[in-house]
Amino acid sequence: MKKFTITAAGASILAAAAIGLAGGAAAAGGADATVNGLQSEGYSVSFNKTPSANLTQCAITNVTKDSASVANPTAYVDIACPDGC
C-alpha cells in the first residue's frame, strides 16, 4: 500500500509540474487576457492562424517573444479555438 501511495503522489507531482509548464504561455481568463497582457508590455501580437472564435473562448498554446527590434517587438502566439464557433 505504501508503494502505491508514493507512486500516486509522485505521479501527482509530475502532472502538476507538466500543467504548470504548459500553463506558462497562457494566462487565466482566456486568450484575450494573454493578448491584452502582451500588448500592455508593448508587443505587437501576431497569431499563427486566424482565431475561429472569440478570444475569450480560445486558449494560447505557445508564445514566442521576438524583442530583437526594440522599436516594434512582436509576440508570435499559437492559438487553439473550439470548432464550430
Side-chain angles (χ1 to χ4, degrees):
M1 187 64 136
K2 277 188 174 182
K3 287 184 180 180
F4 177 75
T5 304
I6 292 171
T7 303
S12 296
I13 291 169
L14 290 175
I19 290 170
L21 291 174
D32 59 328
T34 303
V35 170
N36 291 337
L38 290 166
Q39 290 173 335
S40 71
E41 292 176 23
Y43 287 92
S44 295
V45 176
S46 178
F47 293 105
N48 67 332
K49 63 180 180 179
T50 303
S52 61
N54 188 306
L55 288 180
T56 60
Q57 299 173 327
C58 300
I60 302 292
T61 59
N62 188 42
V63 175
T64 304
K65 295 179 180 178
D66 178 16
S67 50
S69 171
V70 177
N72 190 21
T74 302
Y76 298 95
V77 176
D78 294 338
I79 192 165
C81 297
D83 292 333
C85 291

